[in-house]
Amino acid sequence: MGGLWEMIILKLGGSAITNKALEFSVNHARLVNIVSQIKRAGVADFMVVHGGGSFGHVLADRYRIQHGRDPEVKEQAFGLGLTQMAMEDLNSEVINAFLELEIPVFPVQPSAFAVLSCGKISSFPIAAIRGLLNVGLVPVLYGVPAYDLKQGFGILSGDAIVPYLARKFKASRVILVSDVDGVYDCDPKSNPRARPIKILDEKAFNRISTESKRGWDVTGGMGRKLKELLRLSKSGIRSQIVSADGNGLYRALKGEKVGTLIK
Ligand SMILES: Nc1ncnc2c1ncn2[C@@H]1O[C@H](COP(=O)(O)OP(=O)(O)OP(=O)(O)O)[C@@H](O)[C@H]1O
Ligand SMILES: [Mg+2]
């Protein structure tokens, strides 16, 4: 790896690659735009994590998977499998979009090896991911329902996988692609007068609102995402949130300060 190691962790937000208001609907135009920009930027060392959007969150919410095993929830165990399969369907779409542009991705299904404890990562071996990178493949991970030591099962969110991998692989940068072009002082989707934040630090975070009107994100939405990213920046890894539309991702990959920088 040496000093030239430039590992980028790319999170494709479920908000970006699906139509969040429509169950099980992929936003193909966005997905193609994202993958084309990655291809055009010619990045070599990177891995991808994607979220659930209208695939994972709806089912996880319906069967209350994020709170663990609950005998009150009808057919919850069955719902666990359904949620997993929905995420695999979305993952197939993501994988195909990359393969189509001849980017050698490889799907990595986290619940096959990850163990949670109270919803947090307790064990997450990375030998296979490291090996895949070493042989020139781009691992693509995604948020999933997973076994939990304390509560039976829970949700391993893409937003939790991102900082975990960033630390383990000493990533140089983390880029998150979203359906918004960065962080605002409040949700720009419900407030047309929301003002963009170029640089988000702890102080700025305490002054903004991350309340979302839609109750679909079972993993904490923008608020929890930003908390994790601010913690990550304390360990020296910066992240950037950019739009899935236009050419923001290309510019970010080329080192431009578009969107919001978290530090
Ligand atoms: N202050 C804010 N600035 C920007 N976006 C905000 C803010 N507050 C709330 N949001 C909302 O956060 C959403 C992005 O977070 P969300 O968790 O829904 O998406 P995601 O992480 O891309 O999806 P997934 O969890 O499926 O991967 C935006 O679509 C926006 O509506
Ligand atoms: Mg989310």
Side-chain angles (χ1 to χ4, degrees):
M1 292 179 201
L4 290 175
W5 180 250
E6 229 259 321
M7 174 54 64
I8 300 175
I9 315 272
L10 214 59
K11 158 98 197 284
L12 310 187
S15 70
I17 58 172
T18 73
N19 299 306
K20 244 183 155 172
L22 209 62
E23 266 186 63
F24 312 122
S25 160
V26 176
N27 191 322
H28 288 283
R30 282 234 187 91
L31 189 52
V32 169
N33 184 43
I34 290 167
V35 179
S36 314
Q37 291 178 81
I38 297 169
K39 178 83 182 177
R40 196 151 61 87
V43 274
D45 298 311
F46 70 107
M47 52 186 128
V48 176
V49 178
H50 69 78
S54 65
F55 283 73
H57 291 291
V58 197
L59 288 168
D61 194 30
R62 189 172 303 155
Y63 292 97
R64 287 204 263 153
I65 290 166
Q66 71 275 26
H67 305 303
R69 191 151 59 172
D70 180 354
E72 306 266 293
V73 181
K74 243 176 88 192
E75 300 187 318
Q76 195 187 28
F78 176 69
L80 202 73
L82 285 181
T83 309
Q84 179 72 35
M85 292 318 290
M87 285 309 297
E88 293 192 12
D89 286 347
L90 176 58
N91 180 251
S92 294
E93 300 265 5
V94 173
I95 294 291
N96 281 328
F98 277 98
L99 291 179
E100 198 102 331
L101 290 193
E102 294 171 350
I103 299 176
V105 289
F106 192 81
V108 174
Q109 202 280 81
S111 58
F113 54 86
V115 174
L116 303 177
S117 179
C118 292
K120 298 225 161 73
I121 292 175
S122 153
S123 137
F124 192 110
I126 58 161
I129 300 171
R130 193 182 293 287
L132 291 167
L133 286 166
N134 286 342
V135 296
L137 291 162
V138 176
V140 179
L141 296 93
Y142 45 109
V144 281
Y147 169 67
D148 190 303
L149 286 169
K150 298 276 163 56
Q151 53 183 44
F153 43 74
I155 296 286
L156 172 53
S157 143
D159 286 343
I161 298 174
V162 166
Y164 182 87
L165 292 179
R167 287 190 176 92
K168 286 283 175 190
F169 286 91
K170 299 190 173 29
S172 47
R173 318 189 266 148
V174 171
I175 301 174
L176 297 94
V177 183
S178 179
D179 66 339
V180 287
D181 62 358
V183 181
Y184 286 72
D185 60 355
C186 57
D187 189 350
K189 286 212 255 159
S190 43
N191 194 333
R193 284 163 59 188
R195 284 182 316 205
I197 315 270
K198 289 302 282 177
I199 294 174
L200 190 97
D201 54 14
E202 203 86 49
K203 236 172 91 189
F205 178 69
N206 291 327
R207 285 198 300 256
I208 67 167
S209 156
T210 53
E211 290 280 307
S212 242
K213 284 228 171 85
R214 298 155 308 131
W216 254 22
D217 199 293
V218 295
T219 53
M222 187 57 93
R224 189 166 142 208
K225 194 192 309 293
L226 293 178
K227 265 188 210 150
E228 295 262 11
L229 297 176
L230 283 165
R231 275 212 352 225
L232 185 62
S233 100
K234 287 209 177 99
S235 45
I237 303 171
R238 297 269 159 89
S239 39
Q240 187 171 5
I241 300 185
V242 300
S243 169
D245 297 315
N247 64 352
L249 175 56
Y250 173 82
R251 292 170 62 194
L253 288 168
K254 287 292 182 190
E256 277 188 56
K257 293 186 168 69
V258 286
T260 300
L261 297 177
I262 288 121
K263 50 187 182 189

